[in-house]
Amino acid sequence: MSERTTGTGEAPHYDLAVVGAGAVGALAAYYAVRRGRRVAVITHAGRGTGATRLSAGFDTPTGHNPAQRALAARSTALFGELAAGLGDAGRAPVDVRWLVTREKTAALDATMADGGRTRPVTEEQRALLDRTFPGLAHDDDQVLLSTAPMTVGQPQWLTDRLLDEVLGRPDNTLLEGFRVTEVRRTDGRVELVAADGSRITAAKAVLAPGPWVLDGPVAAAARERGARVKKVVAFHIMTPPPPGAPALVLEDADAFLLPHRPGGHWIFSITSPDWDRGPDEPLAIDARDRELARTLLARHVPGFLPHLLGGRVFSDCFTPGHLPVVDTVGGGDVVMAIGGSGSGYRLAPTMAEDALNLLDGRPRT
Ligand SMILES: Cc1cc2nc3c(=O)[nH]c(=O)nc-3n(C[C@H](O)[C@H](O)[C@H](O)COP(=O)(O)OP(=O)(O)OC[C@H]3O[C@@H](n4cnc5c(N)ncnc54)[C@H](O)[C@@H]3O)c2cc1C
């Protein structure tokens, strides 16, 4: 039985404390409420302060190993359930074309979580690509391929929607400006302590700190699992995508061009080489990022070069093999869900579900 004891001098108590109000934390809280729990969601700042706010929301259900593919496939199913439960999960289909070295085609096919296969683009698809990506060019050993449509979502919109659902029940709460510095166990309860000594307690806790993972209470456990932080950069290409424009994945460069409908421009995600850059550092698009982006565009879509203007930059937590870590920390009543690894929106539903299943002794994905 839960009780809230604010104002009595005793720490408020919940069935579940969720540290993190990003996509992973919001989903964990939402699923917990559906399992009948009273939940406190905790954020060190406020809503929308994490990686989720800047996420491009591209969902390619792929994985480079069986575990990743299982997470991706389960997340696709869970997004479907969310759309049914919420009426709208803020997701829309997008056609996807792939530019990849010919000899890597089989390896790309093997990443598809739904067992789908790439096909060479048709003449009609190629004509649309040429109209969409001015100057489209590739190396002789590269091919353009198509797959079934994939999905683009609105991560912060969904996160807010989920938090609204959670907070729509009066026993749940969002605790803002509460930076958890320590998690300890007292009298069979999990106690979450902030820097100023204030605290709340819960029967169980999910820790989903995103890129703050190495500054908070799970830092040591996360480091043991090989977690690091890295800068993530998505440029803006300030020209409007034409109707029906597909996304173009530059597979060999781990980059993609995604039509961003709400903004009326393109998002150009590159793989920044800036490791060990945490979210509290001044993060900016720098000359190295710009050079990488310009080189890729000059090679493949030179007509976009004049439109490369600004973009999104933040930090994310990366784990070995880009496989999220969902595991207990120091006991069966506290679980960390970390390592979005640049794919933390598309994998968030399974990370959250696995965290709760682990706490509840249910099987995991
Ligand atoms: C520019 C960019 C583009 C991206 N594009 C994509 C994409 O196209 N597709 C995709 O799948 N993924 C993408 N990602 C990755 C994805 O956005 C992240 O992996 C995901 O949002 C991480 O969610 P999270 O909930 O783990 O963390 P966050 O959203 O960062 O949330 C972390 C939360 O934890 C709280 N917190 C942390 N530490 C503490 C503490 N000690 N005490 C209290 N609160 C704490 C914070 O306040 C925050 O609420 C992108 C990321 C970036 C930066």
Side-chain angles (χ1 to χ4, degrees), residues 187-247:
D187 300 331
R189 295 177 167 194
V190 178
E191 197 172 42
L192 299 112
V193 187
D196 65 359
S198 54
R199 65 207 166 88
I200 75 161
T201 67
K204 297 179 180 182
V206 171
L207 307 179
W212 284 273
V213 62
L214 300 181
D215 299 323
V218 294
R223 276 203 182 86
E224 263 173 37
R225 304 296 298 262
R228 290 174 73 185
V229 287
K230 189 170 85 68
K231 194 167 93 174
V232 180
V233 177
F235 284 90
H236 289 171
I237 307 260
M238 299 307 290
T239 184

Side-chain angles (χ1 to χ4, degrees), residues 20-21 23-24 43-44 50-52 55-58 178 180 210-211 316 342-346:
V24 179
T43 157
H44 79 281
T52 300
S55 182
F58 195 26
F178 189 98
V180 178
D316 201 8
S343 297
Y345 159 69
R346 67 184 184 88

Side-chain angles (χ1 to χ4, degrees), residues 123-337:
E123 273 180 32
E124 197 183 334
Q125 288 169 342
R126 174 68 208 226
L128 177 59
L129 284 171
D130 286 331
R131 287 200 299 278
T132 304
F133 300 103
L136 179 64
H138 58 79
D139 302 343
D140 289 345
D141 63 347
Q142 289 182 311
V143 283
L144 280 163
L145 304 171
S146 75
T147 45
M150 294 184 171
T151 311
V152 60
Q154 301 171 58
Q156 188 58 46
W157 181 90
L158 176 63
T159 299
D160 283 332
R161 179 82 181 76
L162 293 165
L163 290 174
D164 287 345
E165 283 286 317
V166 169
L167 300 173
R169 315 225 179 156
D171 283 335
N172 302 323
T173 196
L174 176 68
L175 193 54
E176 295 176 305
F178 189 98
R179 189 163 198 147
V180 178
T181 54
E182 193 186 348
V183 177
R184 55 190 184 213
R185 286 165 187 83
T186 313
D187 300 331
R189 295 177 167 194
V190 178
E191 197 172 42
L192 299 112
V193 187
D196 65 359
S198 54
R199 65 207 166 88
I200 75 161
T201 67
K204 297 179 180 182
V206 171
L207 307 179
W212 284 273
V213 62
L214 300 181
D215 299 323
V218 294
R223 276 203 182 86
E224 263 173 37
R225 304 296 298 262
R228 290 174 73 185
V229 287
K230 189 170 85 68
K231 194 167 93 174
V232 180
V233 177
F235 284 90
H236 289 171
I237 307 260
M238 299 307 290
T239 184
L248 179 62
V249 180
L250 306 176
E251 178 70 5
D252 298 326
D254 199 6
F256 61 79
L257 284 153
L258 180 71
H260 185 56
R261 297 279 164 220
H265 58 80
W266 292 86
I267 285 179
F268 181 30
S269 171
I270 60 156
T271 295
S272 163
D274 258 349
W275 282 95
D276 304 318
R277 302 293 304 279
D280 292 332
E281 295 177 38
L283 290 164
I285 292 172
D286 61 22
R288 199 158 52 145
D289 302 321
R290 191 166 297 282
E291 183 56 29
L292 183 55
R294 290 188 66 82
T295 302
L296 282 173
L297 287 181
R299 193 165 154 200
H300 297 302
V301 194
F304 273 179
L305 270 171
H307 306 291
L308 186 71
L309 277 177
R312 304 164 173 208
V313 57
F314 204 63
S315 173
D316 201 8
C317 170
F318 284 72
T319 35
H322 293 189
L323 191 61
V325 172
V326 179
D327 207 354
T328 52
V329 189
D333 47 8
V334 178
V335 165
M336 64 177 171

